[in-house]
Amino acid sequence: MAGLLLLAGVGGAGGAGASAGPEADVAYHGRVSLGHAQLRVWLVPENEGPSALPNATVRIRLSTDLADRQELAEGCARAGLREVVCETGALPEHGQGRHIGLLLALREPVPEVVLRVDTYWNGGATDRNHMNNEHVVLALDTGDSYAF
């Protein structure tokens, strides 16, 4: 049910270049590892301010297809063959949202995956610093953890 509500709120008030709402600096920090056709993603959404946000949606896109069946964390929903979106929860000014942990099954084993993380929706807030909320990470099928 949470996934359905999450997707219903996504729309024209996207994070990039929006100027009608408050100003906030959403950031994502985390790590990713790939092993045995499973991608582990752990991330923490943060807000550097100056305004709090009641919620936002982080998008995680992969360079390869996800398996048909996924067990996603609460507040997360599949948004395509290679995409998952998750709500961050409230992002207080100079604070963190909920920690998001995903174990994503891939359709087939691959030697590497490119992971793209960005803000899909932020309630119309202005975010002038995209350097800390748009990440591209290459994960090799070694089981090693890569930070972003």
Side-chain angles (χ1 to χ4, degrees), residues 37-84:
Q38 292 186 322
L39 188 71
R40 288 175 171 78
V41 180
W42 179 81
L43 67 88
V44 178
E46 298 178 1
N47 178 7
E48 302 298 327
S51 300
L53 293 176
N55 202 354
T57 305
V58 60
R59 174 173 51 184
I60 299 159
R61 294 178 287 164
L62 309 178
S63 61
T64 190
D65 291 349
L66 293 163
D68 291 337
R69 301 195 77 183
Q70 299 289 326
E71 291 187 35
L72 298 174
E74 184 176 342
C76 295
R78 191 164 177 170
L81 290 174
R82 299 178 172 192
E83 215 171 293
V84 173

Side-chain angles (χ1 to χ4, degrees), residues 10-11 18 20-21 29 64 67 81 105 110 115-116 120 125 127-128 135 137:
V10 175
H29 304 286
T64 190
L81 290 174
V110 294
L115 174 85
R116 296 178 186 279
Y120 188 64
D127 187 340
R128 299 180 197 279
H135 302 284
V137 183

Side-chain angles (χ1 to χ4, degrees), residues 31-35 39-40 138-147:
R31 60 184 180 266
V32 60
S33 67
L34 174 64
L39 188 71
R40 288 175 171 78
L138 174 65
L140 303 177
D141 185 15
T142 60
D144 294 332
S145 184
Y146 300 90

Side-chain angles (χ1 to χ4, degrees), residues 12-22 122-127:
S19 60
N122 69 6
T126 299
D127 187 340

